[in-house]
Amino acid sequence: EISASIAELLATVPEGKPLLLRVDGHTDNIPLKSSRWASNWELSSARANAVIRLLLESPIIPPTRVLSAGFGEHSPMVANSNKENRAKNRRVEISFVAR
């Protein structure tokens, strides 16, 4: 399970050390037609937060060591020039960052 693996890695760094688990959400550049989210920015934030919620189901990942960010369509991996590329830009990235 991914959250157990991440929790094990976080456990190797003492709580006082400045290391956080960061989850970034991204979208493609197609404007939303949804009543649930007003913008791609909100959708990307919701994606990141959904992963955070999943990770926090593990009692060994402390909420003080996680953060999330939504970038909407503003940080694409590839040009949004076709269907395949847009699919690549709809993603969540997990990284470790210094506090």
Side-chain angles (χ1 to χ4, degrees):
E1 178 179 308
I2 186 90
S3 59
S5 299
I6 290 172
E8 289 173 17
L9 186 57
L10 271 178
T12 65
V13 180
E15 179 64 35
K17 296 289 183 180
L19 185 67
L20 298 172
L21 175 69
R22 178 176 164 158
V23 180
D24 295 337
H26 302 271
T27 67
D28 61 26
N29 67 339
I30 303 295
L32 289 178
K33 296 176 183 166
S34 167
S35 61
R36 189 167 182 186
W37 296 287
S39 67
N40 277 331
W41 208 301
E42 289 182 21
L43 173 57
S44 66
S45 296
R47 284 184 176 153
N49 289 333
V51 172
I52 292 285
R53 280 192 305 277
L54 180 68
L55 292 173
L56 291 179
E57 288 177 3
S58 168
I60 52 180
I61 297 179
T64 57
R65 303 285 291 271
V66 298
L67 64 97
S68 67
F71 290 89
E73 68 273 17
H74 303 292
S75 186
M77 284 180 60
V78 294
N80 282 294
S81 56
N82 58 50
K83 183 178 178 179
E84 291 79 19
N85 281 1
R86 285 189 294 276
K88 291 175 185 176
N89 288 328
R90 296 187 296 266
R91 69 195 189 281
V92 172
E93 298 173 337
I94 299 174
S95 58
F96 292 95
V97 296
R99 191 179 300 187

